[in-house]
Every structure is written in structure tokens, then in C-alpha cells.
Amino acid sequence: MARRPLPRILSSGSAQIARSREIARTAADSATDVLHPLITISRGLRKLAATARAKWAATPKERRGPTLFLVAACVLVVALVPYGPLLALVALMAAAAWQGRERPVVKTGPDDAEIARLKGLYEALVPYLSLPDDPEPLYAHGGDWSAAFGDHAFDEDGRITRLRISYPPYFTDGEPAARARIEQLLHAKSGRGREYRFDWDEEGNRLTMRVLPELPTTIAAQRFVTVPGETVLGFTDADAVQRTVPVRAADGTEDAPAVVWRTGPRSTEQHLLAVGQPGSGTSSLLRSIALQALPHGDVLIVEGAGTGEYACLVGRDGVLAVECGLSGALASLEWAAHETERRLIAANRARQSGRPAPEDTRRPLWILLDRPSVLGHLAAADGRPDPQDLLQVPLRHGRAASVTVVVAEQFDSLDALGETVRSHTRARVVLGPAAPQQIAAVLGAGPHTTPVPDVPPGRGYARLGTGQVLRLQVPATPDPYDDATSEAHRRAVLELLPERRTATIAAIEPAPTAAPTAAPAPAPEPGFAPDPDTDIAPTHHKDPGPAPVPSPVPAEG
């Protein structure tokens, strides 16, 4: 059986109703726009009338008669003045319009969801900040959270971004373990994945917690405005340091707060130790230091991993050597030890004769070691001395001889570092994700913030000597020969590299095959080193061992 079509009045009824509703809504909006001034004045008149009634109710009975007489006198004066009633009406309408205007709603306190979050945090702190025999406990189950919490702020998602907490005087805020428990609890209850800073006021029994913004990662390697002897390790929070340097970032030029490491005869932190996980950015930190040191000094690089991270520096002016093998590393470090002794002797003789120290003894010498533990294992397997043993003289006398040692190591091989390296590297850097206990073990003090599990490369903490622990973001200094490097960062690093030496360029060019070649000279013995009384750069050695040697680097096109 064929279905009959619905009557026209039923099929088109819903469309007509929707059209009628749209017309009514449009008419209401138009009427509201036209009558908006009248609505505003009416609202203002109601507010003025309510204010007048409240004032009259608050006036004592013995003062109501004089008040009425004063009001009547004012009305009479206004009525007798020319254009007085008109001016009074205009003033009344203006006052009503001002009182009836739409004002933005000002939030004066937390909403219901934020109050529930504060109550939950208060209840979680009760077991840690209360005692059973306290007659007037500040923290108690079902107590008033507003007496303990103040200066609270929330983000768009309703999570706490700032909170001031008052705690009882008997809380052991001087014990690191007690502090760590409270910080861990606040971190867990306020939201993970963010970095919090905790400022303890032991004198006032207050703890201030606030969420820190992420450090910028858009600052790449560049020439920083510093003097010789100053090295920019990275950038930190604006309120943590007093020094800012102009930098070029992705969004223009700005003044960024920098962590400046000072070396030289008057420095108390002459040597640096950087520790991190694989891929945390320790090699980028060493490249950044090398690029800043080359305009004013000489650089000797020893790479234990043999991955070719420093191939871009091979043959550059000021780069004495880039060694990846065990034999070359031992010979270079032995030369560095003799060079340190030579500088000390020359400077001592100059002082005894009343003359200034020679210029070659005052030119900074930088020794950069990446993963020395790998070379230590190879040396132990081959029966050779540990390369770290050759660092004793540069580490102990480097400040007087203008020699600076920078060591980069990973957490899993931190135990392989010798006592001399640990005791003389007073400038410390920790990069990458790490537990608070690991950070405290390297820096000598725990951070005032909660480390997050996922951080970009080059993010970590720094501490110079006995100073405070600072957050750190190393300027992006990747390997320009790595395929994963962006074009902007590659150009930034290549622009900072010195020119190649002519002898090195000629050495890496392929020789003609038709011309006979002379027999190679015998390789030097492993213990060979130049005379310490002469200023000769170390000889490059090719290690026959398992450590790979980087291939010749093509010139930049």
C-alpha cells in the first residue's frame, strides 16, 4: 500500500515555527539595542533609590528632621535658579546612567571547583602539619582552610599556580627530608608535569609555592656580549640573576638573564663538570663553550665516545687538536700537563725578575673532555694509564696557568670519575631529566624546584661554587654536520666557526694517484710528548684501537 503524503500544514509546520522564533529573537535584539539607554537609566535610578533608602534607614531619628529641612532648602534653591530644574534633571539622568552601566564581573574569590581543590589540599596536609596534643591546631580534619592558605591563584584549567601556606612553628622546616615530603605532596596534589618553585620562610613559618614558566628554547648559538674570561653557560629565570645580555631569538632581539661563568686568575670556579643523560645536551654545552673560547684562547678537545660530535672544529684556527682515539688522547693530555708546568715555570721566572708574565702563558688554554670514562675503560683493557691521571696538573694549577678543564660525563659512568676531577670542578651543570637526589649529588645542593620528567635538550640546573642552584637552558648549539639539524641552527654554528688552517685544507685534499708517494714516517711512541719548555701544539695520532676516528670533514659550501 502506498503511503499518503503528510498534509502541507504538518510538513511545513516545524519550518514556520523555527522561522517565527528567529524573527522574534531578531525583534527582541533590535528592541534591546534601541531601548538600551532607557534600560541603563532605569537600572541606575533603581540603584540610586536603593542607596537613598539605605542612607535614610542608617540616619538616626534625631537627625532626620534637619536632613529633610536641608533637602527641601536645596530643592527650593534649585527651583529658583534659572534653568535649575533642567540642570538638576540632566545631572540626575547622568548619575543614573553612570550607576546603571554594565560593569565587568570582578572575581573576588575562588569558585566552587577551586574551593574544593583547596580543601582537598588542606586535608592532605593535615597528617604532616598537625600534632595530636596541639590545643589549637592550624591543620585539622574538617578545619578552616582559609586560615592556612592565602594569596592563591589558578590558571584557566582550575589548577593552582600560586599559593602561600602557613604552617605551625613546631614543623621541622630545617630538615631537608621534612621539606621534601611537603614539596612532593604539593607537587602531586597541584598537578604534575609543571615545574614548581618552593620558597621557605623559616622566620615567618610560611611556604610560597608558584609555577615557573618554561625557559625559552629559541636562543641559538651566537656572539654574546661578554669580556674575555666570561662564558655564557645558558639562560635562567629573570629574578634569579642580576646579569642580562642582549640576544637574538626567534621573535627578535631581547635582553635575557644569563648564567655567566667566570674563569681566570681571580676565579674560584676555574673548572666545570657537566653531567646528563644521553641526548640531554652535554655535547651542545661543550660546543657552545668551545665557540665562545676560540676568539680569545686555544682549545684542545678529547672525545671519548668517538661519535664525531666535534668534527666541525677539526683544523680550525685556535683548535689545537680533536682527538677520538686513546693514543692521541694520552699524547694530547700529556702535552697539556707539560704545557701547564711550562707556563708555571715561565710565569715564576718572570715574576722573580720583575717582568710581566709572557704573552703565551696568559693566553687561555681550554681542555674539553667528553666521556673520559670510555677512554679509561680502553686504557685499563690495554694496560695504559687512565687519561684522567694526566689531568691532575691542569686541574690543580690551571688557575695560575690560565688553563681551564671542562669535563662532560653521563650519570651511568659518574662513578668512573676520579677524585681529582670531582674535587677541582667547582662549577657544576646537570642536564636532562634527573631525580632530585641525583641533582643534589652532583651539585652539592638540591634544586628549589620540582624537576619534570620531559625536558627539551639543554634544560637542567647549574651551580657555580657555593652559589644557589639555578635553572638553565643551554643555547642551541647542535652539530652542523648532523642531518637532523635545522638550517637556522646550522647556519648559526657555521657563522661562529673560525677559518680553517691552510695546511689542514691541503692535507685533506686527495693526492694525485700518478705521483709516487714516499714511505710514511714511523708512528711515534705512545708516551711521546713535546718538550715542555717549547710551545709546540700536540701531534695528532691515529689510534689503532676500537675507538673510531672521524673522517675528513668537507669544507662548507
Side-chain angles (χ1 to χ4, degrees):
M1 182 182 294
R3 293 185 179 181
R4 291 184 178 181
L6 293 175
R8 183 176 181 182
I9 189 173
L10 296 179
S11 61
S12 61
S14 59
Q16 292 179 356
I17 292 174
R19 192 180 303 109
S20 301
R21 289 178 179 176
E22 185 67 24
I23 294 173
R25 188 180 298 108
T26 304
D29 294 340
S30 301
T32 302
D33 294 339
V34 172
L35 300 176
H36 181 71
L38 183 59
I39 295 173
T40 302
I41 293 175
S42 302
R43 189 188 305 118
L45 289 175
R46 289 197 305 269
K47 291 184 178 180
L48 290 177
T51 303
R53 286 195 301 268
K55 291 289 185 180
W56 178 257
T59 303
K61 293 183 179 181
E62 61 273 8
R63 296 181 58 184
R64 291 184 177 181
T67 303
L68 285 176
F69 177 77
L70 180 61
V71 171
C74 291
V75 172
L76 181 61
V77 170
V78 170
L80 295 178
V81 172
Y83 302 102
L86 180 60
L87 294 177
L89 180 61
V90 171
L92 180 62
M93 293 298 102
W98 177 259
Q99 289 293 331
R101 72 188 189 280
E102 294 181 356
R103 303 176 183 179
V105 179
V106 179
K107 186 178 179 181
T108 58
D111 54 18
D112 295 339
E114 295 170 352
I115 290 176
R117 184 180 289 271
L118 291 175
K119 284 183 178 180
L121 185 60
Y122 175 84
E123 294 291 336
L125 290 173
V126 170
Y128 300 93
L129 299 177
S130 63
L131 291 177
D133 53 353
D134 190 355
E136 297 181 357
L138 181 61
Y139 291 84
H141 292 291
D144 184 14
W145 61 268
S146 60
F149 295 162
D151 191 19
H152 41 71
F154 299 84
D155 58 5
E156 297 81 3
D157 299 330
R159 298 192 299 176
I160 300 175
T161 58
R162 187 178 68 254
L163 182 63
R164 188 181 70 247
I165 302 173
S166 300
Y167 55 87
Y170 52 77
F171 175 70
T172 56
D173 53 2
E175 299 179 1
R179 288 189 177 190
R181 287 195 299 268
I182 300 299
E183 293 176 359
Q184 183 179 4
L185 175 64
L186 294 175
H187 182 204
K189 294 296 183 180
S190 301
R192 299 183 182 274
R194 300 184 297 174
E195 197 166 359
Y196 296 86
R197 180 179 178 87
F198 300 96
D199 296 323
W200 292 84
D201 181 12
E202 296 89 348
E203 186 177 359
N205 298 323
R206 289 183 178 88
L207 168 62
T208 303
M209 179 190 70
R210 57 189 178 94
V211 178
L212 295 176
E214 294 185 359
L215 295 177
T217 58
T218 57
I219 302 177
Q222 56 191 277
R223 292 291 180 209
F224 300 111
V225 182
T226 56
V227 299
E230 292 183 346
T231 304
V232 176
L233 298 179
F235 302 92
T236 183
D237 300 305
D239 58 348
V241 294
Q242 300 178 355
R243 176 81 175 269
T244 60
V245 295
V247 296
R248 297 190 312 271
D251 51 355
T253 304
E254 60 182 6
D255 291 338
V259 180
V260 180
W261 173 39
R262 295 175 177 85
T263 57
R266 295 178 178 84
S267 173
T268 58
E269 302 89 19
Q270 181 69 13
H271 311 294
L272 182 139
L273 172 63
V275 183
Q277 301 287 354
S280 59
T282 54
S283 299
S284 296
L285 176 61
L286 263 63
R287 275 191 296 268
S288 176
I289 293 175
L291 293 178
Q292 297 181 59
L294 282 175
H296 310 288
D298 299 325
V299 177
L300 172 62
I301 301 175
V302 176
E303 182 187 2
T307 56
E309 292 283 341
Y310 308 93
C312 60
L313 295 170
V314 173
R316 302 286 179 174
D317 289 338
V319 180
L320 301 180
V322 179
E323 299 292 349
C324 299
L326 178 59
S327 299
L330 290 175
S332 299
L333 294 179
E334 185 177 358
W335 172 87
H338 291 321
E339 174 65 13
T340 305
E341 295 175 351
R342 185 195 68 81
R343 293 187 176 202
L344 291 175
I345 295 173
N348 186 25
R349 290 175 179 174
R351 284 192 295 268
Q352 289 180 358
S353 60
R355 293 180 291 103
E359 184 65 26
D360 59 346
T361 63
R362 290 181 294 174
R363 182 174 174 82
L365 173 61
W366 293 75
I367 305 174
L368 309 182
L369 286 88
D370 194 355
R371 300 294 307 279
S373 61
V374 177
L375 295 176
H377 292 310
L378 295 177
D382 201 19
R384 297 186 181 184
D386 193 342
Q388 297 185 47
D389 297 339
L390 301 174
L391 294 176
Q392 294 185 7
V393 175
L395 287 172
R396 292 177 179 176
H397 307 285
R399 184 174 63 175
S402 298
V403 178
T404 304
V405 180
V406 181
V407 180
E409 193 52 82
Q410 295 182 2
F411 275 108
D412 54 0
S413 303
L414 193 58
D415 297 337
L417 294 180
E419 183 63 26
T420 305
V421 176
R422 293 173 177 269
S423 59
H424 288 86
T425 51
R426 292 174 49 83
R428 300 290 181 90
V429 173
V430 176
L431 298 180
Q437 297 79 8
Q438 292 178 314
I439 299 174
V442 176
L443 302 181
H448 297 287
T449 62
T450 55
V452 292
D454 298 327
V455 294
R459 178 71 56 81
Y461 299 90
R463 189 187 187 199
L464 303 179
T466 58
Q468 62 176 340
V469 179
L470 304 173
R471 292 203 305 164
L472 182 70
Q473 177 62 50
V474 178
T477 317
D479 182 10
Y481 298 151
D482 190 358
D483 296 337
T485 303
S486 63
E487 185 63 25
H489 289 169
R490 178 182 292 107
R491 291 184 177 275
V493 176
L494 292 177
E495 289 177 359
L496 299 178
L497 290 174
E499 296 294 334
R500 288 190 183 275
R501 292 189 294 268
T502 306
T504 305
I505 297 177
I508 63 176
E509 291 180 353
T513 55
T517 57
E525 298 179 0
F528 171 80
D531 190 356
D533 293 333
T534 61
D535 189 8
I536 304 176
T539 306
H540 293 268
H541 297 271
K542 293 185 178 179
D543 185 26
V549 179
S551 58
V553 180
E556 297 84 20

